[in-house]
Every structure is written in C-alpha cells, then in structure tokens.
Amino acid sequence: RAEVGGIDVPNRRVVVTDAEDGSVSSIEYDALIVATGAEVSLDAVAGAEGRALPFYTVEDALELRRRLSLVDGLLEGEAAADDEDGKVAITVIGGGYSGVELALNLVDRFAGSEREVEVNLVHRGERVLEYATDYNRRAGTERL
C-alpha cells in the first residue's frame, strides 16, 4: 500500500510513499492513467494536472484508446536509444473497480508483445477493491 506523492513528468516517474514504513520510492512509466474513483481530483497529485488521463467518460475512453495506439507504435518500433532494457511501463493509479479492471485488461492486451510491458497499479487505500465483495476482491487480487 502506498500514497502517490507526485508525478515527475520530465523523468516519467510516479513518486510514492509506502504507508507502512514511510519510505519514498518511484515507479517508472511510459503511459500513465489515473483511475482514482468517483471523484476527479488531479490537482491533489503534483504533476498530474494536464498530463495524467482520468478514466470516467466516453471521451476519456477514446483518449485512452488513442494513447494506447501510441504505445502500440512504441512497441512496434525499435527501443529508444536511451531505453536500456526496451521495457515499456504503464502505471494505473487507483485500485477501485475501474483501476483494477483497466490494469488487468492492459496486462492481457500486451501479453503477447515482443517487448516487455510492465503494468503497475498504485492505490492509496488499505487494499485494492476496498468496497467489493470478498469474492470479487479475492478474484481481482489473485489476477494482480
């Protein structure tokens, strides 16, 4: 469990604080999606406004599809010269139904890619799918 403290856009990193020990670390990303729940509050996370993609409306879904097409292009092209490992990282922020479903669908979508695609899920709550039934929470977390 961690809390997002900010988004370092120039370096493509999400800064997180571990809820248990308070340590600060960062997660690299090539694509960033914010799925924070019922309320859009991008200004609560430094660097998110104008760069992260909320996931609530049909327009958001269409923009996500457009951005994933860019990731597809990145995967089809050769690794960038400064990309040592050739890995593409996508970070989803928000461990509710939308965030977990999106993260799992992204894993499925890129499972057959020639280049490694890493999907990270960051959630500030006690556990992902906090308001789900025990069965749904268990099913979701087992796939994560």
Side-chain angles (χ1 to χ4, degrees), residues 84-107:
E84 296 175 9
D85 60 7
K87 177 174 58 177
V88 174
I90 301 172
T91 299
V92 177
I93 300 174
Y97 282 110
S98 296
V100 169
E101 182 175 358
L102 179 57
L104 292 172
N105 282 321
L106 289 169
V107 167

Side-chain angles (χ1 to χ4, degrees), residues 2-51:
E3 180 175 320
V4 174
I7 299 171
D8 179 357
V9 176
N11 295 308
R12 295 179 171 236
R13 301 183 76 76
V14 176
V15 180
V16 296
T17 303
D18 187 283
E20 292 186 21
D21 66 13
S23 63
V24 177
S25 61
S26 62
I27 300 170
E28 292 183 39
Y29 70 86
D30 290 296
L32 178 64
I33 301 149
V34 177
T36 57
E39 181 179 313
V40 177
S41 181
L42 293 179
D43 59 342
V45 178
E49 188 68 40
R51 293 180 175 85

